[in-house]
Amino acid sequence: MPSFKSLGEGNTPLVQSISGSSFGELWFKLENCNPSGSYKDRFIAAEMRRLVQRGAKACLATSSGNTGSSLAAYSARFGIKCLIVVNADAPTGKLAQMLAHGAHVLRVPGFVSDANISTTVFDVLRSLSSTYSVPLVVSAFRVCPEGMRGVETIAAELLAHKPDHIFVPVGGGGLYSAVVQGFLNHKQPSPRVHAVQPEGCLTLVAGYLNNSTDIQCVQSTTRISGLSVPNDLDASRGLRLLRQCNGTGIPVSDDDVFAAQKLLAHEEGIYCEPAGATAFAGWRRAVKQGIVGESERSICLVTGHGFKDPDSIERLAESNPSLIIEAPKLAETIIRLLS
């Protein structure tokens, strides 16, 4: 049995904003700097430790991309066969990453976006996991609580900075739940932790806005990969914790997210996928709504790297195309661009 040696996940950089510094104090927690490019490495490292200890030879998983990418990397490291079910439209960057690490990837049309198909997929995988004694890896407390406790370390890394507000992107609700629980575990005054969710897949945030305790399954229409989770994985848990920490549920449009991604790239030098810009989109809306005070400190989680979603990066690049210049006109062109 191999001993567990991590890939160096966690302890990611915390950098101060340049563009947002005119209103309060804004910082970014760069979870896109984890080994496979997303915060999911914290979850997979904790879960993989458990799998290695029990001598697992294979695992099953569901993913919209980042869980699968991380699981494929760590499975390759420890010689575990990895089978991952993803939606048919998963971003090419995430698919390529899984395949490059040797994972078996099964693309199921309608999975993630359609609640009924997603339920069917989970039922099939749970049954196979039980029948063949193969661990099922899903980044949710209700499936893999030990692994999700690894995500709580984000809060421990932020405690010393004494933030007033934390902005967290929400898909299934696991990340949000882990961050809040991480603060609660330290039994210190907790910041307000806000849940930011795309309008096209409002599960947790809809419950907050409707002042309800119930999570309704939805037909997801969001284009934000990784945040399209129409079922209640950890949304109900997250909703309870949202109220406990006096947080706010903030809906954002896909266009809000893409605009935030562009600002991060152009004005902050932060290269992230759309899901990684969602917390920043939520902060911008919170400022407009007066949720954040001018003297308060906010931290946005940047959860995934730009290479994860090359189509979204290509759209950003199209607004600033490269130029083909003949050598005799090079100096003239550079002078024009410098002016």
Side-chain angles (χ1 to χ4, degrees), residues 39-92:
Y39 84 90
K40 292 295 180 73
D41 289 341
R42 295 178 187 264
F43 162 67
I44 291 299
E47 188 66 16
M48 185 58 65
R49 184 184 299 273
R50 187 176 70 86
L51 266 59
V52 169
Q53 289 174 345
R54 64 182 282 188
K57 302 298 183 185
C59 63
L60 301 172
T62 65
S63 177
S64 57
N66 283 336
T67 296
S69 298
S70 180
L71 180 62
Y74 283 79
S75 293
R77 186 168 176 79
F78 294 103
I80 294 176
K81 181 180 289 189
C82 180
L83 287 76
I84 307 169
V85 176
V86 304
N87 55 307
D89 300 320
T92 55

Side-chain angles (χ1 to χ4, degrees), residues 25-295:
E25 194 177 317
L26 176 62
W27 295 73
F28 300 105
K29 180 66 166 165
L30 300 185
E31 287 295 296
N32 56 329
C33 291
N34 277 297
S36 79
S38 85
Y39 84 90
K40 292 295 180 73
D41 289 341
R42 295 178 187 264
F43 162 67
I44 291 299
E47 188 66 16
M48 185 58 65
R49 184 184 299 273
R50 187 176 70 86
L51 266 59
V52 169
Q53 289 174 345
R54 64 182 282 188
K57 302 298 183 185
C59 63
L60 301 172
T62 65
S63 177
S64 57
N66 283 336
T67 296
S69 298
S70 180
L71 180 62
Y74 283 79
S75 293
R77 186 168 176 79
F78 294 103
I80 294 176
K81 181 180 289 189
C82 180
L83 287 76
I84 307 169
V85 176
V86 304
N87 55 307
D89 300 320
T92 55
K94 298 175 184 181
L95 286 173
Q97 195 176 6
M98 294 179 226
L99 295 169
H101 286 302
H104 300 278
V105 179
L106 309 174
R107 300 167 67 184
V108 178
F111 177 59
V112 173
S113 60
D114 187 291
N116 291 328
I117 292 175
S118 298
T119 298
T120 298
V121 168
F122 279 116
D123 289 344
V124 168
L125 293 180
R126 284 193 186 98
S127 175
L128 292 173
S129 173
S130 175
T131 301
Y132 293 95
S133 299
V134 177
L136 175 60
V137 179
V138 180
S139 56
F141 277 97
R142 69 169 57 196
V143 182
C144 297
E146 293 182 36
M148 289 304 296
R149 281 193 280 275
V151 183
E152 295 173 8
T153 55
I154 293 175
E157 292 170 23
L158 297 178
L159 274 173
H161 301 278
K162 299 180 180 179
D164 299 292
H165 303 273
I166 306 289
F167 291 84
V168 181
V170 173
L175 171 61
Y176 181 84
S177 299
V179 171
V180 176
Q181 190 61 57
F183 282 112
L184 295 176
N185 289 345
H186 287 84
K187 299 180 181 179
Q188 297 182 20
S190 174
R192 298 181 66 191
V193 185
H194 307 288
V196 187
Q197 194 164 41
E199 292 174 348
C201 194
L202 288 181
T203 51
L204 188 160
V205 170
Y208 170 83
L209 296 174
N210 297 331
N211 197 28
S212 172
T213 58
D214 297 325
I215 300 297
Q216 301 296 323
C217 293
V218 300
Q219 192 76 21
S220 177
T221 60
T222 184
R223 293 169 288 159
I224 309 305
S225 167
L227 302 185
S228 178
V229 183
N231 304 76
D232 181 9
L233 285 179
D234 284 332
S236 54
R237 174 190 292 263
L239 183 58
R240 291 194 300 272
L241 290 167
L242 177 69
R243 294 190 170 113
Q244 188 172 346
C245 74
N246 194 30
T248 305
I250 303 173
V252 291
S253 70
D254 288 359
D255 288 342
D256 289 339
V257 173
F258 294 133
Q261 181 193 24
K262 184 175 182 178
L263 283 173
L264 287 174
H266 284 195
E267 298 184 10
E268 301 285 357
I270 295 174
Y271 193 60
C272 67
E273 64 172 321
T278 300
F280 181 43
W283 176 85
R284 297 179 72 205
R285 178 163 288 195
V287 168
K288 292 178 182 178
Q289 294 176 350
I291 295 169
V292 175
E294 291 188 24
S295 62

